[in-house]
Amino acid sequence: MCFQSWSFYLPIKMCRRYLAYAGLLICCLVEEHQAPTPKSSIFASEIRRNIFQKWLQHLHEERSYDTILIAYNDTRVDSRLQSLLQYAWPKVLLTPGQRFDYKERYNSEILVIITMSNKIDEPLMEATAGTLNFVRGARVLMLALNIKDEESFKNASKALCQKYKMTNVLLKFHHKLTEELLSDYYQLKPYPQYHWLMQTIEQKSEVYFPVHWRNMQKGIVVTQTDQVSPRSLFFLDSQGNWKMNGYVARFVLLFAEHFNATLQWYKPLKVGEVIHFMLVNKLVDDNLVDIPMALMISEASSEWAYRSYVYQIEDGRLLVPCAQQFSLKEVFSVLLDVRFFGLVIFCTVFFSLLHSLIDYMFDGIRQPVNALLSDRVFPAVLGLSFVARNAPWRVLKLVYIILSFLGINTTCQFSATMNSLFTSHPYHRQIETLADIRDSPLKINILKGDLNLMGGTLLDIFRSLITTENVTHYAEMRDSFNASTGYYANLGSWRLLNLKQQLFTQKVYCSYDNLTVFRIMPWTFQLQQHSQYKEAMDYLIHQVHAMGLVDAWYASTFSDLVKLKQISLLDPNPRQDVKPMTAGDLYWAWLILVMGMSISGMVFIAERWYYQQIRYLE
């Protein structure tokens, strides 16, 4: 009975064992075309898992990461990718049809793993590059599985990395299931040109992802300058050598020197050829220039991703001619103004009528000519001596006394005002607001490119604007203190002009808070999309400002401008303590004399004709 039970149980147990082996064999066949035996498959999977985990732990120890972005093609999943997916770390999976902006959702401290089987997967690389917008400098581990032609794969992957401006890339070919996975790999070197360099894990001094931009290996960096002082100055020194100065040009020169790069001009420079900064930055947008020797104003938040950190914070303002002192000719116009003539005429006519009325009422003297202009009243009003009529009437004497005090007051006030104006000439009314510009005949000269950036900011004074396209001519007029018009300038240019004006007796340009068009203007360096120089630029900008080099470069530029005689320290309008009067200064005196003699002549002719007519009638 026991025999029967055992004989019945033995076939069932054997069948179960065979079924288990069969199921395991089927799973291995699905996983790979050439699957190992069931026992070796289990060991191989464990080896793969340990190898990938060890590899990722090495990378994390070098520099920590928060997330792993795994880019793969879902149609080519094998056991090696499955072991990678089993790694216990936050992961984001990406396939060729799942492109998104990683920067907007997750932390930038990531490790990107791109797996490709059999051949290069361009759609997968394109999706990964699109996902890594604005974080193209992230660490990338490229796993190449089952690649037959490794050299062609390296060339194709290098070209794609250069196209998408990826610089921190490791390439590992995977064929065997041994520890050889960690023994050697290829490291992408972006400088001086993109190339692969084989590395081995035994090289303990070499890190997996070095900071490549710290040594650019004499790589070529294309640049171009706008030659706008004091940002950029290109000149020939006394020894006949070409020199560059300016707080923007010196930064780019320091960038090349510090990071071991080679600068190359986009086109040969011409001394004094000033280019608008918008045109230089347009070359950057067209991928013709890597780092410009010109700044770009940043307004929209979407533009910051393709620019460096802020290099300068300035403002934009209008420069207007400072109020000038009155000339002698204009001083006379102030003395002999409407109020003065109005007072003299009113007092003369009033007291002439009063004197004529007293003569008529008390003495019966009737003189119609003296009713408006009496020869006894007019000199008295001007403070001159006059002939009083000898009459016993006290009211007439009282009028003479009042006329005497009136003449003394007029003479004293006129003399005091004249002495004050001639000793220290007054100033014209200063233009301080946009409304003052609108109501004055002054014109504001402004570059057409700058006006396009302002939009409708200067719409209130658009009738007072003069646009100029020639940047060189505009800079010459403004820097030579041509005060026939006003100008627009940023804070850097205004500081240079104001520094020169400190040596002048009287300033030529003035600017006020109400003439500030832009309060805050953040100036940055325009870079190409996903530029590999952005991180280096940001690092150097912080260092330069921490050491105060910008102010030192500014002072050095001013010194060179003085040596080149582009800035003269001589006062164009020196103060003259003694200045001889000219015939033009007495313009109003000559005018009054001519008008007086003309009126006298007309009166003489009229009286002579009048008396001739009376004699004829008699």
Side-chain angles (χ1 to χ4, degrees), residues 375-387 403-404 406-408 410-411:
D375 56 352
R376 302 180 187 273
V377 173
F378 184 69
V381 172
L382 296 179
L384 304 176
S385 61
F386 62 95
V387 180
L403 282 173
S404 299
L406 177 63
I408 293 174
T410 303
T411 304

Side-chain angles (χ1 to χ4, degrees), residues 31 40-50 79 83 177:
E31 180 180 2
S40 62
S41 177
I42 296 175
F43 292 155
S45 299
E46 189 65 25
I47 291 175
R48 294 188 194 103
R49 186 180 299 109
N50 293 334
S79 60
S83 61
L177 303 175

